[in-house]
Every structure is written in C-alpha cells, then in structure tokens.
Amino acid sequence: MTETTADTIRSNFADVVTIGSEEHKQRFCRMLLDTFDPYKPTIIAWPKLEADALARLTGLPFWDVAVQTEGYASRRVQALADCVADPLLKEAVQLNAFEEGRHKLVLEHMVRFYGIQLKPEPDYTTPRDPEWAFIRTGYGECLDSFFAFGLFKLAKDSGFFPTALVEVFEPVIREESRHILFFVNWVAWTAQQKPLPARLWFRLRCMAALATSLYGRLALAKATDGGKSGDNFVATGGSALVQALTPRSFIISCLAENERRMAGLDTTLLRPRIMPFLARTALIFIRK
C-alpha cells in the first residue's frame, strides 16, 4: 500500500500537476521552504505552571522517547539530504532535517525548564541506507502525526495543559503537518523518477517501511511499548491523554484535526491517505 495511486492531482484552479514532473517537485519543495517559521527555541518564554499542571506534565511517561524520536529523525533526514544532488530538493530536505533537530531543542529546553529528568540519550548514528531510513521515518511521522493532531486538540480543549503551554507547541505541530505533506509527495515524485524495475523495488521498500511503522504503533492500542522502539513517541505516551475518551470519539477527533491542518497547505499536493483510510475503516467496526 502506498500513499497514492493517482497519476495527477487537480488544484482549485483546474490546473493539472503531473506526479513526478518538475512542477510537482517545485510545488512540494516550495511548500516546505516558503512556509518556514524562524522561531528560536532558546528564546521561548516557558510559562510558569501551577503545582497540579506541573505534576501532570512531569508525570507523562514519554519525554525520553519524544526527545529521542526527534534525534533519530533529524539524523536520518540529514543523511538523505547529504545524498541528494538536486539543489532545490536538497535545500528542502536539509530544512526538514533542521526542523526535526529544532523540535529536539524545544523539548530539551522544556524538560530543563520544568526539571524533568531524562535517561541518557543513545548515539544517533548516521544510517547506512539513507533512503530506507528516510522512508521509515516519513511513514512513522505520518502515523504519529495523525494521532498527535488529535492528542494536541484534546490537551488544548480539556485543559490537561494550560493554554499558554499548548500554544508554545503549536509551531511544532504545524511543522509536522508540513513534513508529512512533503514526505508523501516526495515518495510519489521519487517513484516516478525511477525505471520500472527500480520503481517496483522502491514501492516494495515503502510497503515494508509502512508495515514496520504500523507494527510499532500497534502499541498505542495496547497501552505502551515502554519506549523500546526508539522512535515511537505517540505509542509510548498517548494512553495517558486518551483515558477519558472512547476509541470512536478519539478517532473522530484525529480525523477532524488531520483534515483541518492539511486544508491550510497547498491544495494541489497529495495528502497523506493511509491513516485517514484506516481510521474511517475502523469507525465502521467501532461503535463506542
């Protein structure tokens, strides 16, 4: 299963963008580059929290994995950027890597400010197969972001976190929307650049990466994997925020937030389809 089987997509202005074309590459690269937010983690004004809010924040079990997730992602994305020859695509992938690293800095500054103790970090080694590492990271982000959108909305609406703290993380969540949109279009564009045998092999690798990511994220439904996967932020801590929700209401929230966030980005580009499809299918069988 891949993110798209379509050969073309249409914009609101009846343009036709051929998947794999130069225009397609220009659009998904420019989408990422032109929406860059130059915020700096070092000058974020972290709000002071009341004792109960601070206890909820420090009691969440996923901060170690959250930091490590971004550390792995930054190194893996940069590894691909180092191999890309096309100047525009290289610039976009480098920005993606920079933003993943910046997410890690945001989290590091937050845990330091609120006195959250983290376990020693692993060695973020450069992957031997940059393309595979990027594909795996991309599909993992597609899955994680779908749930993160719903969790973020829940945390905001429920008052689980103070509004001031939630707003600090809004740029990070917004960047994840851009990252997964860039990724699914990169997959479609890259596949079209390859001759048929290599294209089939690339699609098989995508399916394997997706299956690997799905398997790791199944821990969300069973509570947590204790962070053993090394790149599974949502599965490790999601249950701490959704205990008061029914599975159906949580899935509906994720779908609505995913649609809302994607709507604000270039409408001519392919959208992530796997998680919305799986979620809508699940709703057929989940009644509560």
mmCIF file of all heavy atoms in Angstrom, residues 134-152:
data_model
loop_
_atom_site.group_PDB
_atom_site.id
_atom_site.type_symbol
_atom_site.label_atom_id
_atom_site.label_comp_id
_atom_site.label_asym_id
_atom_site.label_seq_id
_atom_site.Cartn_x
_atom_site.Cartn_y
_atom_site.Cartn_z
ATOM 1 N N PHE A 134 14.998 7.342 5.657
ATOM 2 C CA PHE A 134 14.071 8.463 5.436
ATOM 3 C C PHE A 134 12.652 7.951 5.217
ATOM 4 O O PHE A 134 11.689 8.525 5.751
ATOM 5 C CB PHE A 134 14.528 9.285 4.239
ATOM 6 C CG PHE A 134 13.668 10.492 3.970
ATOM 7 C CD1 PHE A 134 13.682 11.571 4.835
ATOM 8 C CD2 PHE A 134 12.850 10.550 2.859
ATOM 9 C CE1 PHE A 134 12.888 12.698 4.598
ATOM 10 C CE2 PHE A 134 12.049 11.660 2.611
ATOM 11 C CZ PHE A 134 12.078 12.734 3.484
ATOM 12 N N ILE A 135 12.510 6.873 4.449
ATOM 13 C CA ILE A 135 11.180 6.318 4.200
ATOM 14 C C ILE A 135 10.560 5.838 5.507
ATOM 15 O O ILE A 135 9.390 6.114 5.797
ATOM 16 C CB ILE A 135 11.248 5.166 3.178
ATOM 17 C CG1 ILE A 135 11.692 5.679 1.814
ATOM 18 C CG2 ILE A 135 9.894 4.470 3.046
ATOM 19 C CD1 ILE A 135 12.023 4.591 0.820
ATOM 20 N N ARG A 136 11.342 5.143 6.305
ATOM 21 C CA ARG A 136 10.823 4.650 7.579
ATOM 22 C C ARG A 136 10.437 5.806 8.500
ATOM 23 O O ARG A 136 9.385 5.783 9.144
ATOM 24 C CB ARG A 136 11.862 3.763 8.259
ATOM 25 C CG ARG A 136 11.363 3.188 9.569
ATOM 26 C CD ARG A 136 12.400 2.333 10.239
ATOM 27 N NE ARG A 136 11.947 1.955 11.585
ATOM 28 C CZ ARG A 136 12.690 1.288 12.456
ATOM 29 N NH1 ARG A 136 13.913 0.914 12.138
ATOM 30 N NH2 ARG A 136 12.212 0.999 13.649
ATOM 31 N N THR A 137 11.285 6.822 8.551
ATOM 32 C CA THR A 137 10.978 7.989 9.377
ATOM 33 C C THR A 137 9.720 8.693 8.876
ATOM 34 O O THR A 137 8.864 9.101 9.668
ATOM 35 C CB THR A 137 12.162 8.973 9.361
ATOM 36 O OG1 THR A 137 13.313 8.340 9.940
ATOM 37 C CG2 THR A 137 11.842 10.235 10.148
ATOM 38 N N GLY A 138 9.603 8.826 7.555
ATOM 39 C CA GLY A 138 8.451 9.518 6.986
ATOM 40 C C GLY A 138 7.139 8.832 7.282
ATOM 41 O O GLY A 138 6.161 9.478 7.694
ATOM 42 N N TYR A 139 7.101 7.520 7.105
ATOM 43 C CA TYR A 139 5.856 6.808 7.396
ATOM 44 C C TYR A 139 5.571 6.812 8.892
ATOM 45 O O TYR A 139 4.403 6.904 9.311
ATOM 46 C CB TYR A 139 5.918 5.380 6.866
ATOM 47 C CG TYR A 139 5.623 5.297 5.385
ATOM 48 C CD1 TYR A 139 6.584 4.874 4.483
ATOM 49 C CD2 TYR A 139 4.376 5.672 4.877
ATOM 50 C CE1 TYR A 139 6.328 4.813 3.117
ATOM 51 C CE2 TYR A 139 4.104 5.625 3.520
ATOM 52 C CZ TYR A 139 5.084 5.194 2.641
ATOM 53 O OH TYR A 139 4.821 5.150 1.302
ATOM 54 N N GLY A 140 6.619 6.726 9.701
ATOM 55 C CA GLY A 140 6.410 6.822 11.138
ATOM 56 C C GLY A 140 5.794 8.156 11.529
ATOM 57 O O GLY A 140 4.888 8.224 12.357
ATOM 58 N N GLU A 141 6.270 9.232 10.893
ATOM 59 C CA GLU A 141 5.711 10.557 11.180
ATOM 60 C C GLU A 141 4.275 10.680 10.685
ATOM 61 O O GLU A 141 3.454 11.349 11.315
ATOM 62 C CB GLU A 141 6.583 11.641 10.549
ATOM 63 C CG GLU A 141 7.875 11.897 11.296
ATOM 64 C CD GLU A 141 8.474 13.251 10.980
ATOM 65 O OE1 GLU A 141 8.358 13.700 9.827
ATOM 66 O OE2 GLU A 141 9.053 13.857 11.900
ATOM 67 N N CYS A 142 3.969 10.056 9.557
ATOM 68 C CA CYS A 142 2.585 10.091 9.062
ATOM 69 C C CYS A 142 1.640 9.451 10.079
ATOM 70 O O CYS A 142 0.551 9.975 10.346
ATOM 71 C CB CYS A 142 2.478 9.359 7.723
ATOM 72 S SG CYS A 142 3.177 10.260 6.313
ATOM 73 N N LEU A 143 2.053 8.326 10.641
ATOM 74 C CA LEU A 143 1.227 7.643 11.627
ATOM 75 C C LEU A 143 1.171 8.426 12.930
ATOM 76 O O LEU A 143 0.091 8.660 13.483
ATOM 77 C CB LEU A 143 1.777 6.238 11.879
ATOM 78 C CG LEU A 143 1.905 5.316 10.658
ATOM 79 C CD1 LEU A 143 2.451 3.958 11.080
ATOM 80 C CD2 LEU A 143 0.581 5.160 9.943
ATOM 81 N N ASP A 144 2.331 8.839 13.424
ATOM 82 C CA ASP A 144 2.381 9.564 14.694
ATOM 83 C C ASP A 144 1.631 10.892 14.620
ATOM 84 O O ASP A 144 0.923 11.269 15.555
ATOM 85 C CB ASP A 144 3.823 9.826 15.099
ATOM 86 C CG ASP A 144 4.508 8.585 15.669
ATOM 87 O OD1 ASP A 144 3.810 7.596 15.958
ATOM 88 O OD2 ASP A 144 5.745 8.601 15.818
ATOM 89 N N SER A 145 1.807 11.616 13.521
ATOM 90 C CA SER A 145 1.192 12.935 13.405
ATOM 91 C C SER A 145 -0.322 12.849 13.413
ATOM 92 O O SER A 145 -1.002 13.701 13.997
ATOM 93 C CB SER A 145 1.675 13.637 12.133
ATOM 94 O OG SER A 145 3.044 13.938 12.217
ATOM 95 N N PHE A 146 -0.868 11.820 12.779
ATOM 96 C CA PHE A 146 -2.320 11.665 12.760
ATOM 97 C C PHE A 146 -2.866 11.605 14.181
ATOM 98 O O PHE A 146 -3.838 12.289 14.522
ATOM 99 C CB PHE A 146 -2.691 10.401 11.985
ATOM 100 C CG PHE A 146 -4.171 10.143 11.920
ATOM 101 C CD1 PHE A 146 -4.962 10.823 11.008
ATOM 102 C CD2 PHE A 146 -4.770 9.227 12.779
ATOM 103 C CE1 PHE A 146 -6.331 10.596 10.950
ATOM 104 C CE2 PHE A 146 -6.138 8.995 12.720
ATOM 105 C CZ PHE A 146 -6.919 9.678 11.808
ATOM 106 N N PHE A 147 -2.231 10.808 15.033
ATOM 107 C CA PHE A 147 -2.676 10.720 16.424
ATOM 108 C C PHE A 147 -2.282 11.967 17.212
ATOM 109 O O PHE A 147 -3.034 12.422 18.078
ATOM 110 C CB PHE A 147 -2.083 9.483 17.088
ATOM 111 C CG PHE A 147 -2.641 8.192 16.569
ATOM 112 C CD1 PHE A 147 -1.837 7.293 15.902
ATOM 113 C CD2 PHE A 147 -3.980 7.878 16.751
ATOM 114 C CE1 PHE A 147 -2.353 6.096 15.425
ATOM 115 C CE2 PHE A 147 -4.503 6.691 16.269
ATOM 116 C CZ PHE A 147 -3.689 5.793 15.595
ATOM 117 N N ALA A 148 -1.113 12.530 16.909
ATOM 118 C CA ALA A 148 -0.660 13.716 17.639
ATOM 119 C C ALA A 148 -1.601 14.896 17.427
ATOM 120 O O ALA A 148 -1.833 15.679 18.353
ATOM 121 C CB ALA A 148 0.755 14.091 17.215
ATOM 122 N N PHE A 149 -2.145 15.027 16.209
ATOM 123 C CA PHE A 149 -3.096 16.113 15.950
ATOM 124 C C PHE A 149 -4.285 16.002 16.903
ATOM 125 O O PHE A 149 -4.728 16.990 17.492
ATOM 126 C CB PHE A 149 -3.594 16.060 14.503
ATOM 127 C CG PHE A 149 -2.532 16.306 13.471
ATOM 128 C CD1 PHE A 149 -2.694 15.832 12.174
ATOM 129 C CD2 PHE A 149 -1.373 16.998 13.776
ATOM 130 C CE1 PHE A 149 -1.724 16.061 11.207
ATOM 131 C CE2 PHE A 149 -0.390 17.220 12.821
ATOM 132 C CZ PHE A 149 -0.578 16.747 11.528
ATOM 133 N N GLY A 150 -4.821 14.790 17.047
ATOM 134 C CA GLY A 150 -5.953 14.590 17.945
ATOM 135 C C GLY A 150 -5.580 14.783 19.399
ATOM 136 O O GLY A 150 -6.328 15.391 20.176
ATOM 137 N N LEU A 151 -4.413 14.272 19.795
ATOM 138 C CA LEU A 151 -3.960 14.423 21.174
ATOM 139 C C LEU A 151 -3.739 15.889 21.529
ATOM 140 O O LEU A 151 -4.073 16.336 22.631
ATOM 141 C CB LEU A 151 -2.671 13.631 21.398
ATOM 142 C CG LEU A 151 -2.779 12.105 21.374
ATOM 143 C CD1 LEU A 151 -1.396 11.479 21.377
ATOM 144 C CD2 LEU A 151 -3.608 11.603 22.548
ATOM 145 N N PHE A 152 -3.167 16.632 20.602
ATOM 146 C CA PHE A 152 -2.899 18.048 20.834
ATOM 147 C C PHE A 152 -4.211 18.810 21.019
ATOM 148 O O PHE A 152 -4.342 19.639 21.923
ATOM 149 C CB PHE A 152 -2.119 18.611 19.650
ATOM 150 C CG PHE A 152 -1.600 20.000 19.857
ATOM 151 C CD1 PHE A 152 -0.503 20.243 20.664
ATOM 152 C CD2 PHE A 152 -2.195 21.076 19.222
ATOM 153 C CE1 PHE A 152 -0.017 21.523 20.848
ATOM 154 C CE2 PHE A 152 -1.721 22.365 19.394
ATOM 155 C CZ PHE A 152 -0.629 22.589 20.220
#
